Amino acid sequence: MELLHNAAAAVRDVPLPLLLLFSAFSIIGASLCIYLALFIVAPTPRPPLPSEKTFTHIENGKLSGIKQLPCWLDAWAAQKKAEQKGGDPAQSGIFAEAPEVFMSLVIPAYNEEARLGIMLREAVVYLERMYPFFPPTESKSRSGKANGASTTPSSTSGIEPAGWEIVLVSDGSTDGTIETALSYARTLTPASASAIRIVSLAENRGKGGAVTHGMRHARGAYAIFADADGATLFSDLGKCVTACQAIEDSRGRGVAVGSRAHLVGSEAVVKRSFLRNFLMHSFHLLLRLMTPPATGRIRDTQCGFKLFSRASLPFIIPYMHSEGWIFDVEMLMLAESANIPVTEVPVGWKEVVGSKLNVVWDSLGMALGLAILRGAWGMGVYKRW
């Protein structure tokens, strides 16, 4: 106690201006230390390898050769660099390339040989029925559309694209994931078979890295990513499209987030272990405390079923850094920072065995990743360019 008394007395003897100056330098020094720490630990994704910007598919019943993937991001980046300096390139969002199909489905897959086949079958049946391949037609009015069918203008030419594609991103898989996809594609019609594009990453990047990579090469007027386990009812895609179209701004930007929040209290959730439910609620609390207001209000940020209009992609995908489980939150934060409308859509969901999520360690990793992500964006380690 005497030591504390002496310290307090010494502080009282320090002139107020000097004390304020010391406090200011302490705050600045601490901020610089935090910035430096974030600069060191905040993840920076590696550029894609040339081989990762190629694909194969089934063509005329046979495996095609290696083909180059179209990449809207490369064209967009070149366009940004050519713009006059002094403006805000993040606010343009103009595509150099129009969409070629109505719907792009990106599937991140890491050693999903056992679960991928069922998911692919469910997805293809729905895509063939809702977004068939036929010649482009004049864009129709947004009124009267139903079930997310392809009746939305998606280019300034007034012509809407038809059809769909699947971009399967094998995230360094070492099992038969690619063979499973190719075997299924061989059972389809030529048009549907060639619409399934297989992209192979040389090294495992994580789910977020695989999703971001696939989104860079999406050709659709809308692009959705869905987990390879098939846990989400794929036919709810129509609800997401309709909901996204309803909120799109004047530039056609919108995001629809598949949500399982309505299932809280259902048998599927109640049967989970106490630890898993506790960690889930704790993570939701962290989200509300550490993310911007609109992102914090989303009740389910982690559902692997999110739809983006093509016009929204340039405001999100070029600025992604997270490649692990927390990438969903960064996508939503970027959408919020660009004032892109976001809506939450209830979707059907079921537990599927074979999850690679380690409840305890991955939950802790997500909490740490969220703190780093929020700090990196908040302190300017990450920035739009």
Side-chain angles (χ1 to χ4, degrees):
M1 290 298 293
E2 183 178 354
L3 182 62
L4 291 175
H5 179 75
N6 292 337
V11 170
R12 283 196 299 268
D13 293 338
V14 177
L16 182 59
L18 186 59
L19 186 61
L20 292 176
L21 186 62
F22 175 78
S23 299
F25 275 109
S26 297
I27 293 172
I28 293 172
S31 299
L32 288 174
C33 289
I34 294 173
Y35 180 90
L36 180 60
L38 288 170
F39 186 82
I40 293 172
V41 302
T44 301
R46 65 169 174 82
L49 302 174
S51 65
E52 296 173 338
K53 301 179 78 170
T54 63
F55 75 97
T56 57
H57 64 165
I58 298 300
E59 192 172 38
N60 298 321
K62 298 180 181 179
L63 181 63
S64 72
I66 302 298
K67 296 184 177 183
Q68 192 70 26
L69 274 169
C71 183
W72 65 261
L73 182 58
D74 288 347
W76 178 86
Q79 184 179 359
K80 295 302 103 182
K81 291 180 181 179
E83 287 182 349
Q84 183 177 2
K85 292 183 179 180
D88 182 3
Q91 296 307 311
S92 175
I94 300 173
F95 271 94
E97 302 166 346
E100 299 179 33
V101 294
F102 182 77
M103 182 62 63
S104 291
L105 166 61
V106 174
I107 305 175
Y110 174 64
N111 290 344
E112 290 290 356
E113 175 184 8
R115 304 190 295 181
L116 180 61
I118 296 175
M119 187 273 178
L120 277 177
R121 283 191 289 274
E122 181 182 357
V124 169
V125 166
Y126 183 83
L127 292 169
E128 287 180 329
R129 177 167 58 89
M130 296 300 295
Y131 313 116
F133 297 97
F134 51 78
T137 58
E138 289 292 330
S139 297
K140 305 174 185 177
S141 167
R142 286 181 182 239
S143 61
K145 59 185 177 290
N147 299 321
S150 54
T151 62
T152 303
S154 53
S155 67
T156 56
S157 66
I159 302 298
E160 66 176 25
W164 52 273
E165 67 171 351
I166 293 177
V167 181
L168 177 73
V169 183
S170 175
D171 190 17
S173 297
T174 57
D175 67 350
T177 294
I178 292 177
E179 289 74 15
T180 297
L182 292 173
S183 295
Y184 174 66
R186 288 187 177 94
T187 68
L188 303 173
T189 64
S192 292
S194 64
I196 300 178
R197 298 183 166 197
I198 311 298
V199 182
S200 182
L201 301 185
E203 300 175 0
N204 179 264
R205 302 190 68 150
K207 180 182 174 182
V211 168
T212 301
H213 187 83
M215 287 290 180
R216 291 177 183 139
H217 302 284
R219 298 180 297 145
Y222 291 88
I224 187 167
F225 71 83
D227 291 344
D229 60 5
T232 305
L233 182 65
F234 193 82
S235 58
D236 280 340
L237 171 59
K239 294 165 57 178
C240 292
V241 174
T242 301
C244 188
Q245 291 172 341
I247 63 163
E248 286 173 12
D249 62 15
S250 59
R251 287 184 278 183
R253 304 181 309 165
V255 177
V257 178
S259 175
R260 303 159 295 184
H262 63 292
L263 297 174
V264 174
S266 67
E267 184 179 4
V269 176
V270 170
K271 282 187 174 181
R272 287 178 168 178
S273 68
F274 169 80
L275 176 61
R276 186 163 184 173
N277 282 326
F278 172 77
L279 291 172
M280 176 185 71
H281 291 298
S282 299
F283 181 71
H284 289 168
L285 178 61
L286 277 177
L287 281 174
R288 295 188 69 87
L289 294 174
M290 298 180 65
T291 57
T295 302
R297 286 194 295 270
I298 295 175
R299 298 174 64 197
D300 183 7
T301 61
Q302 301 309 111
C303 181
F305 203 71
K306 292 180 176 65
L307 177 81
F308 303 83
S309 69
R310 189 169 183 81
S312 68
L313 293 179
F315 298 86
I316 299 172
I317 300 305
Y319 311 107
M320 287 293 297
H321 295 83
S322 300
E323 297 196 310
W325 298 106
I326 203 67
F327 81 99
D328 303 74
V329 177
E330 186 174 26
M331 283 184 158
L332 297 173
M333 287 171 55
L334 288 167
E336 180 176 356
S337 69
N339 296 314
I340 296 174
V342 178
T343 185
E344 201 165 0
V345 183
V347 294
W349 180 85
K350 61 182 181 294
E351 284 275 11
V352 178
V353 297
S355 173
K356 299 176 180 64
L357 181 71
N358 183 299
V359 176
V360 176
W361 290 110
D362 286 330
S363 296
L364 293 174
M366 288 168 68
L368 178 60
L370 177 60
I372 293 174
L373 177 67
R374 192 69 175 101
W377 277 107
M379 297 195 71
V381 176
Y382 295 158
K383 60 186 69 175
R384 292 184 182 270
W385 48 271

